């Protein structure tokens, strides 16, 4: 409708209003979670305090006491950060190799990597429990990091691959003429040039690690348990602790939602494997 | 020094052989131009010399050393890419200094060399800028600067002017020629534009489908093309080639005559035709002639002007001493 | 020679890691699915350690196929995945078309819309099932109570009270119950994944050929015809991709189901595997193999589609 002057009242007023309503509706549950987190447990279930209440920070201040929040949060941070670092450390050389030195098998290798992502986790649930328990790595940070890294590695490699492909091959060849070795190509040319892509890949990988809720729940008990496990373990407070549960939930998702805002575009690329442009 | 010898060099991509066995010598200090239509293998040949492609068989000898297995950076060659291939995250200074830094040269020496190159190329005012802020011509100079500082045995240019607009291209052509005169270093230059080849080269190598069709100086190629392909490729407008009875009268399968080697008259001549389009350039006039019974169209070029318009009758007479005769295989007859 | 051996070798660590990650657990699953293997059995203690001597052939598969939970889990998986796909695609297309053109605050609306996607599944489930859908204490319960109060007060109003006393009391729906827990999962996952569909469709809409639309306008196409004959076909491929990616993700839904009802009346395949894995590893593994087959059917189509665009 921007094409010709067929401007209707709907397109000027109706659509924006509708769009805002839909946007607010989708955001409402998050807003409600945050709002509830400022109510006392008692107020949270009383209709008279639905919107107007005396806000309190107690739920946040008592997170450690109520849920041992920081222990789980620390685990989430440690596992997500290290899984992301390792995924990049393995993924960057791999994507570099495939983007700039492709062989005839490269395409198949990429597709195969993707297919590992499509394997239902539950199918290997028991073997994974069995293996981790028999080598004594059950409920350890190390195991969670390894698993998180492996489940995100295909996406990391794919995203990096699509970013690296955008770098003209000429520049890499100019580097070869100028005397850089393989390590130099990566360090002097590839990483500085694809810095933005690498950063958003890292961000997205971190978010996926943080939100992961199958292996982190099934392969941990206490030592390496993450926030997913914490929330899952306190799922049904039967109305008793809505306030404090909201606070700990908001603390678990808040930073990630904000980070997510910064990588909307990359998300499309990362999740559709470059098939939607 | 920069004498490059290719001995029996071939290149295959999978089963497809793009360069059949090929021999070529480029003398030290020579300006050699590889020219041919797109897909003729000229860029591949350059990349083989550079070491960016692996040679399938044969030897590449640079200054009497077998360089076939030597990695690109150790061959002592510098390359200027079609896309310039500047490092967009580095300033002009760092771009030019990059090969020296990779060679672990000390900083003071690097600075001296970069300043000197920048001076030659009129880049002194732009040293701290990023490539993205420069015009096409300036980027081209930075790419050349990056090549110069290495003091290579030979420069390799891969269609370096094709991304520039027409006016700039003429200017850069002169600059590269001047650079060659000044440095006296071997240069190998790839282009599909025969004008660039004719104006710049000491030696032109005409390629088709990976085969060398002819090697020679620009005027050699112009005056004595070895076959119909070279005859048609070198020279603008293209040489007229005709087959049939008129060619047989000259004892050949095909004959060729250049547009500029044809006499034109409105009253009499060897062949009669009708004027199609007449392009008046002022200095010259190109006339496209139809209905001669010889070929779809014959192009002639005359100096100055002639008063003909569309539909007029016109008479053509080729200059017999400049007639090219070709046999059934398309080869030049002695 | 430009020696490209080292650069090519750089991909091997990733390949080897993923190969181990895929092959070892999967072959164990395959192995366990053909033997009798349980964690506790006092009468047959030899079954508690995996061994080829406990070979059962396709017995585990038969056992799984004959258990009524399996059929139910398959049905339920399809109900949940199918409903989510249907809702997210319809909502996604409508919302994407609606917010694709510039309007005041478009950026903010985008941010609001995308936010649910980044909420961790566990929080998503806890939030919806407690704070929103709970029949007594959640927003649903409060709303229902409010409506009933209002009707109650109208019933005692003079004059029209008799009319409102004919109205029934509104009953809240318990989403933890056997029949309804799947709907709670559908609602919360649709809420989380509609933003994903919107985002992808918007990305795709931005690459729509504007000149083609202009030509259509000159040819006399109205807004609806443009949508029907230009926009929708343009979205065909992204829709297919959204459907397949979501199918793969949602076939392995777990946390939401666990939190809403602990699988009570609402099992899907992953949940069933989890239940079997509490004791009967053989059956869990056989179910796992079924899940792999199911996922592969979707995956093959998706991979083909991605493969086509890969090397462009």
């Amino acid at each position: 409708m921007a094409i010709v002057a067929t401007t209707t009242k709907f397109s000027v007023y109706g659509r924006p209003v509708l769009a805002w309503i839909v946007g607010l509706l989708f955001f409402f549950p998050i807003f409600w979670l945050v709002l509830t987190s400022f109510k006392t447990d008692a107020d949270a279930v009383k209709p008279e305090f639905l919107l107007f209440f005396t806000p309190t920070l107690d739920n946040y201040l008592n997170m450690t006491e109520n849920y041992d929040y920081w222990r789980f949060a620390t685990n989430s941070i440690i596992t997500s950060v290290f899984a992301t670092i390792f995924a990049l450390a393995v993924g960057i050389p791999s994507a570099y190799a495939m983007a700039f030195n492709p062989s005839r098998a490269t395409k198949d290798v990429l597709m195969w990597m993707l297919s590992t992502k499509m394997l239902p986790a539950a199918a290997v649930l028991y073997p994974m429990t069995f293996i981790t328990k028999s080598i004594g790595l059950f409920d350890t940070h190390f195991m969670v990091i390894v698993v998180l890294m492996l489940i995100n590695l295909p996406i990391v490699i794919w995203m990096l691959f699509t970013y690296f492909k955008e770098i003209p091959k000429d520049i890499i060849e100019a580097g070869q003429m100028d005397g850089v070795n393989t390590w130099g190509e990566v360090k002097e040319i590839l990483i500085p040039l694809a810095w933005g892509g690498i950063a958003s890949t890292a961000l997205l990988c971190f978010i996926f690690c943080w939100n992961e809720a199958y292996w982190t729940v099934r392969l941990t008990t206490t030592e390496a348990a993450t926030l997913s496990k914490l929330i899952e373990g306190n799922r049904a407070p039967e109305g008793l602790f809505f306030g404090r549960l909201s606070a700990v939930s908001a603390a678990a998702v808040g930073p990630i939602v904000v980070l997510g805002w910064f990588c909307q575009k990359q998300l499309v690329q990362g999740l559709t494997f470059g098939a939607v442009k | 020094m920069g004498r490059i010898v290719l001995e029996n060099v071939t290149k295959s991509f999978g089963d497809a052989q793009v360069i059949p066995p090929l021999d070529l010598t480029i003398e030290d200090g020579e300006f050699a131009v590889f020219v041919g239509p797109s897909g003729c293998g000229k860029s591949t040949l350059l990349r083989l010399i550079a070491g960016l492609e692996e040679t399938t068989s044969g030897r590449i000898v640079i200054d009497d050393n077998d360089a076939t297995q030597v990695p690109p950076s150790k061959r002592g060659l510098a390359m200027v890419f079609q896309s310039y291939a500047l490092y967009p995250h580095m300033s002009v200074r760092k771009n030019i200094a990059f090969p020296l830094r990779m060679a672990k040269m000390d900083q003071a020496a690097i600075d001296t060399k970069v300043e000197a190159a920048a001076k030659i190329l009129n880049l002194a005012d732009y040293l701290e800028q990023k490539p993205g802020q420069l015009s096409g011509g300036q980027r081209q100079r930075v790419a050349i600067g990056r090549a110069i500082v290495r003091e290579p045995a030979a420069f390799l240019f891969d269609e370096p002017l094709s991304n520039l607009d027409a006016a700039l291209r003429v200017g850069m052509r002169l600059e590269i020629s001047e650079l060659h005169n000044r440095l006296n270093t071997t240069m190998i230059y790839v282009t599909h534009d025969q004008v660039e080849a004719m104006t710049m080269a000491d030696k032109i190598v005409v390629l088709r489908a990976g085969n060398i069709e002819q090697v020679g100086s620009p005027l050699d190629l112009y005056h004595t093309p070895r076959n119909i392909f070279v005859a048609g490729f070198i020279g603008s407008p293209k040489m007229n080639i005709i087959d049939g009875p008129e060619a047989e009268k000259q004892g050949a399968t095909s004959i060729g005559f250049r547009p500029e080697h044809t006499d034109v008259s409105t009253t009499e001549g060897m062949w009669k035709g009708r004027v199609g389009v007449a392009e008046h350039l002022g200095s010259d006039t190109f006339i496209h002639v139809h209905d001669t019974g010889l070929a779809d169209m014959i192009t002639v070029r005359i100096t100055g002007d002639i008063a003909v318009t569309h539909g007029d009758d016109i008479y053509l007479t080729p200059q017999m001493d400049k007639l090219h005769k070709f046999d059934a295989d398309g080869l030049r007859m002695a | 020679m430009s020696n490209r051996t080292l650069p090519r070798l750089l991909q091997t660590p990733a390949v080897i890691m993923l190969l181990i990650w895929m092959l070892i657990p999967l072959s164990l699953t395959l192995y366990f699915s053909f033997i009798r293997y349980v964690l506790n059995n006092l009468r047959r203690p030899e079954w508690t350690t995996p061994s080829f001597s406990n070979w059962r052939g396709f017995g585990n598969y038969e056992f799984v196929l004959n258990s009524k939970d399996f059929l139910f889990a398959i049905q339920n998986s399809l109900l949940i995945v199918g409903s989510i796909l249907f809702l997210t695609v319809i909502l996604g297309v409508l919302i994407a078309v609606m917010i694709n053109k510039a309007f005041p605050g478009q950026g903010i609306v985008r941010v609001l819309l995308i936010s649910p996607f980044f909420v961790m599944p566990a929080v998503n489930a806890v939030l919806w099932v407690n704070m929103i859908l709970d029949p007594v204490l959640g927003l649903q319960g409060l709303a229902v109570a409010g409506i009933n109060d209002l009707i109650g007060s109208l019933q005692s109003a003079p004059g029209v009270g008799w009319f409102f006393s004919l109205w029934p009391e509104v009953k809240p729906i318990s989403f933890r119950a056997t029949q309804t827990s799947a709907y709670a999962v559908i609602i919360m996952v649709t809420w989380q994944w509609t933003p994903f569909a919107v985002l992808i469709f918007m990305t795709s809409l931005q690459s729509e050929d504007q000149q083609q639309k202009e030509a259509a306008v000159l040819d006399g196409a109205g807004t609806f015809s443009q949508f029907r004959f230009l926009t929708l076909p343009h979205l065909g491929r992204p829709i297919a991709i959204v459907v397949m990616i979501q199918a793969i993700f949602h076939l392995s839904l777990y946390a939401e189901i666990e939190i809403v009802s602990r699988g009570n009346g609402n099992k899907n395949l992953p949940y069933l595997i989890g239940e079997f894995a509490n004791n009967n590893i053989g059956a869990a593994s056989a179910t796992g193999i079924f899940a792999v087959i199911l996922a592969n059917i979707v995956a093959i189509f998706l991979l083909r589609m991605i493969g086509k665009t890969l090397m462009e």
Side-chain angles (χ1 to χ4, degrees):
Chain A
M1 267 171 284
I3 304 165
V4 274
T6 55
T7 339
T8 58
K9 275 203 168 146
F10 174 76
S11 67
V12 178
Y13 304 107
R15 195 147 44 93
V17 170
L18 206 59
W20 269 95
I21 291 174
V22 171
L24 291 171
L25 223 52
F26 266 87
F27 193 73
F28 175 78
I30 297 175
F31 165 75
W32 195 249
L33 182 75
V34 175
L35 193 76
T36 311
S37 73
F38 291 112
K39 297 176 184 177
T40 64
D41 288 334
D43 287 357
V45 293
K46 288 184 188 149
E48 60 268 36
F49 296 122
L50 203 57
L51 282 173
F52 304 100
F53 58 93
T54 323
T56 167
L57 280 175
D58 285 354
N59 291 324
Y60 287 100
L61 298 175
N62 297 333
M63 274 195 313
T64 310
E65 195 182 308
N66 293 337
Y67 293 106
D68 208 357
Y69 172 81
W70 285 108
R71 194 164 65 81
F72 292 93
T74 311
N75 283 344
S76 274
I77 293 170
I78 290 175
T79 53
S80 303
V81 165
F82 279 100
T84 305
I85 291 174
F86 290 143
L88 287 179
V90 177
I92 289 177
S94 173
Y96 156 81
M98 291 193 276
F100 294 113
N101 302 288
S103 63
R104 259 174 281 179
T106 296
K107 186 177 167 177
D108 297 326
V109 171
L110 271 170
M111 301 305 280
W112 166 75
M113 284 185 172
L114 260 195
S115 72
T116 66
K117 181 77 195 153
M118 296 170 187
L119 201 67
V124 293
L125 166 65
Y126 185 73
M128 280 305 291
T129 323
F130 179 82
I131 294 167
T132 48
K133 280 189 174 157
S134 49
I135 53 180
L137 288 175
F138 188 80
D139 196 21
T140 57
H141 290 100
F142 177 77
M143 199 61 218
V144 175
I145 290 169
V146 167
V147 169
L148 287 179
M149 177 196 113
L150 286 170
I151 58 177
N152 285 304
L153 195 54
I155 289 187
V156 166
I157 291 178
W158 262 83
M159 285 187 70
L160 291 173
F161 176 77
T162 43
Y163 285 118
F164 290 174
K165 285 279 274 189
E166 284 168 20
I167 298 175
K169 200 163 190 289
D170 278 0
I171 291 188
I172 300 290
E173 288 181 343
Q176 287 171 19
M177 295 295 293
D178 287 345
V180 295
N181 52 23
T182 302
W183 166 237
E185 266 175 52
V186 174
K187 188 180 81 121
E188 299 280 348
I189 302 173
L190 191 70
I191 292 182
L193 275 184
W195 183 242
I198 293 172
S200 40
T201 305
L203 196 58
L204 204 61
C205 179
F206 179 79
I207 292 174
F208 288 152
C209 289
W210 186 276
N211 286 350
E212 209 283 331
Y214 189 79
W215 293 118
T216 48
V217 170
R218 304 299 306 231
L219 291 184
T220 62
T221 47
T222 49
E223 273 309 304
T226 64
L227 287 169
S228 279
K229 181 90 176 175
L230 167 68
I231 306 291
E232 196 259 358
N234 293 282
R235 68 196 114 181
E238 302 299 340
L240 284 175
F241 304 121
F242 276 14
R244 59 177 72 171
L245 187 59
S246 298
V248 76
S249 300
V253 302
I256 292 301
V257 171
V258 174
L259 278 183
W261 293 342
F262 294 108
C263 60
Q264 294 178 38
K265 288 225 174 69
Q266 290 70 27
L267 180 74
V268 175
Q269 208 176 19
L271 278 173
T272 64
F273 314 107
V276 171
K277 279 170 196 138
Chain B
M1 282 290 284
R3 185 169 185 273
I4 297 169
V5 181
L6 308 187
E7 292 171 3
N8 253 323
V9 167
T10 70
K11 174 68 186 172
S12 303
F13 292 110
D15 297 332
Q17 193 176 51
V18 291
I19 307 276
L22 178 149
D23 294 286
L24 181 67
T25 304
I26 294 156
E27 298 297 339
D28 181 34
E30 207 165 41
F31 196 121
V33 175
F34 295 171
V35 69
S38 58
C40 70
K42 56 191 188 293
S43 283
T44 308
L45 195 55
L46 190 76
R47 291 165 58 82
L48 285 173
I49 296 173
L52 293 171
E53 302 282 355
E54 286 172 47
T55 310
T56 308
S57 70
R59 286 192 341 138
I60 295 173
V61 181
I62 299 172
D63 289 335
D64 301 327
N65 300 315
D66 185 346
T68 321
Q69 303 296 323
V70 175
S73 59
K74 300 283 188 316
R75 296 190 180 193
L77 308 175
M79 183 145 166
V80 175
F81 291 81
Q82 181 173 7
S83 64
Y84 320 135
L86 301 179
Y87 308 117
H89 56 295
M90 299 180 194
S91 65
V92 169
R93 179 189 295 281
K94 287 195 170 137
N95 260 285
I96 297 177
F98 190 73
L100 305 178
R101 188 156 70 84
M102 287 300 109
K104 309 234 156 35
M105 194 178 273
D106 71 84
Q107 192 59 45
I110 292 180
D111 286 342
T112 323
K113 289 199 159 205
V114 171
E115 302 284 347
K119 211 171 161 196
I120 294 175
L121 295 162
N122 285 324
L123 285 168
D125 295 341
Y126 307 101
L127 276 177
E128 306 312 324
Q129 295 193 12
K130 292 270 173 72
Q133 298 164 289
L134 304 180
S135 70
Q138 287 164 341
R139 284 182 215 183
Q140 183 62 268
R141 285 202 199 99
V142 177
I144 295 173
R146 195 172 60 183
I148 289 178
V149 289
R150 296 182 52 192
E151 294 172 6
F155 290 92
L156 310 178
F157 292 91
D158 188 5
E159 308 219 16
L161 304 184
S162 58
N163 285 345
L164 298 177
D165 63 48
L168 211 47
R169 208 176 302 167
V170 176
M172 283 307 296
R173 211 162 75 194
L174 284 174
E175 282 189 40
I176 293 174
S177 292
E178 273 169 25
L179 195 68
H180 179 241
N181 292 336
R182 183 204 295 240
L183 300 175
N184 244 326
T185 310
T186 311
M187 290 187 177
I188 304 177
Y189 188 104
V190 163
T191 180
H192 61 269
D193 180 354
Q194 60 94 22
V195 177
E196 279 177 24
M198 294 295 284
T199 51
M200 301 168 87
D202 296 324
K203 176 192 271 177
I204 296 181
V205 179
V206 183
L207 288 152
R208 178 172 58 160
N211 283 306
I212 294 181
E213 297 287 321
Q214 188 168 2
V215 180
S217 74
L219 291 180
D220 276 351
L221 267 57
Y222 179 81
H223 290 301
T224 52
R226 214 168 62 90
N227 55 30
I228 291 188
F229 176 78
V230 176
F233 196 81
I234 300 291
S236 173
K238 278 175 73 162
M239 182 188 285
N240 299 298
I241 306 280
I242 56 179
D243 314 325
E246 288 296 324
E248 279 159 28
K249 274 186 209 165
Q250 307 296 331
T253 310
S254 312
I255 52 171
F257 54 96
R258 295 198 181 274
E260 55 271 37
H261 298 154
T262 312
D263 295 326
V264 173
S265 159
T266 51
T267 52
E268 57 179 350
M270 201 161 146
W271 301 313
K272 186 186 173 199
R274 200 171 42 77
V275 174
V277 174
E279 297 172 315
H280 301 275
L281 303 181
S283 59
D284 303 280
T285 307
F286 298 163
I287 305 170
H288 303 282
V289 182
H290 299 277
D291 300 335
T292 53
L294 305 167
D296 278 352
M297 188 179 81
I298 300 282
T299 309
V300 297
R301 171 185 187 164
I302 53 173
T303 314
D305 214 346
I306 183 173
V308 289
T309 52
H310 178 79
D312 289 352
D313 283 348
I314 193 165
Y315 296 86
L316 310 177
T317 313
Q319 296 167 5
M320 283 304 172
D321 56 329
K322 287 173 181 158
L323 200 66
H324 304 267
K325 299 177 192 171
F326 302 102
D327 65 16
D329 297 326
L331 293 178
R332 179 178 196 84
M333 294 165 69
Chain C
M1 183 191 70
S2 68
N3 192 338
R4 309 315 289 160
T5 320
L6 173 65
R8 280 192 190 138
L9 282 178
L10 286 174
Q11 61 188 300
T12 41
V15 170
I16 290 172
M17 282 178 183
L18 285 172
L19 206 61
I20 294 175
W21 164 241
M22 190 168 88
L23 280 186
I24 292 185
L26 200 59
S27 9
L28 276 179
T29 299
L30 206 59
Y31 168 46
F32 293 159
S33 77
F34 286 109
I35 57 169
R36 287 186 192 276
Y37 181 18
V38 291
L39 294 182
N40 290 299
N41 193 322
L42 294 176
R43 282 189 302 121
R44 306 292 298 268
E46 72 271 21
W47 288 355
T48 56
T49 41
S51 149
F52 276 108
S53 56
N54 297 332
W55 190 258
R56 202 187 175 190
F58 284 95
N60 287 319
Y61 291 88
E62 272 173 47
F63 170 80
V64 169
L65 282 174
N66 289 330
S67 85
K68 63 179 188 340
D69 276 352
F70 178 72
L71 191 65
F72 178 70
I74 295 264
Q75 271 179 357
N76 215 36
S77 290
L78 294 180
L79 166 74
I80 293 175
V81 174
S83 311
I84 295 169
L85 290 180
F86 179 77
L87 292 171
T88 50
V89 168
I90 301 278
L91 286 172
V93 170
L94 292 180
I95 296 174
V97 169
M98 186 172 71
I99 65 170
N100 189 37
K101 282 168 195 148
F103 60 88
Q106 189 190 26
I108 301 171
V109 169
R110 272 184 70 138
V111 163
L112 293 178
L113 262 174
I114 190 63
S115 300
F117 190 73
F118 298 109
V119 172
M120 63 169 66
V123 168
N124 177 9
V126 164
L127 159 65
W128 275 89
V129 85
N130 291 314
M131 265 67 98
I132 297 180
L133 293 178
D134 191 278
V136 182
L137 302 166
L139 278 178
Q140 189 211 179
L142 299 182
V144 167
I147 291 168
N148 284 337
D149 281 354
L150 183 69
I151 295 173
S153 59
L154 286 172
Q155 280 169 346
S156 55
V160 290
W162 63 271
F163 173 72
F164 286 103
S165 55
L166 297 175
W167 283 29
E169 195 183 348
V170 183
K171 290 237 165 55
I173 306 164
S174 166
F175 281 96
R176 291 180 203 265
T178 310
Q179 302 83 2
T180 49
S181 52
Y183 302 130
V185 172
I186 292 170
I187 293 172
M188 60 184 64
V189 178
T190 301
W191 173 70
Q192 175 144 50
W193 282 79
T194 299
F196 167 73
V198 171
L199 202 61
I200 287 183
F201 295 153
M202 274 186 68
T203 309
S204 171
L205 283 178
Q206 267 144 30
S207 69
E208 204 182 357
D209 185 352
Q210 285 305 316
Q211 291 197 346
Q212 197 187 51
K213 282 201 142 182
E214 290 171 356
V217 171
L218 292 176
D219 290 342
T223 309
F224 178 76
S225 301
Q226 284 177 42
F227 175 76
R228 167 70 188 78
F229 295 107
L230 297 178
T231 306
L232 217 49
H234 180 77
L235 286 177
R237 194 186 151 74
I239 288 175
I241 287 168
V242 164
V243 164
M244 288 182 289
I245 289 175
Q246 286 203 73
I248 286 163
F249 271 84
H250 301 334
L251 279 173
S252 42
L253 275 183
Y254 182 81
E256 290 89 342
I257 288 173
E258 164 79 12
I259 290 171
V260 169
S261 63
R262 290 178 183 260
N264 176 19
N266 182 25
K267 291 182 187 41
N268 64 355
L269 278 185
Y271 203 89
L272 187 65
I273 294 169
E275 277 189 355
F276 278 137
N278 288 333
N279 192 29
N280 190 345
I281 303 306
S285 303
T287 317
I289 297 299
F290 281 119
V292 170
I293 293 168
L294 197 61
N296 271 357
I297 294 171
V298 186
I300 285 169
F301 285 105
L302 179 58
L303 286 173
R304 275 216 185 134
M305 187 162 254
I306 294 169
K308 269 185 203 157
T309 44
L310 176 57
M311 290 299 171
E312 283 169 7

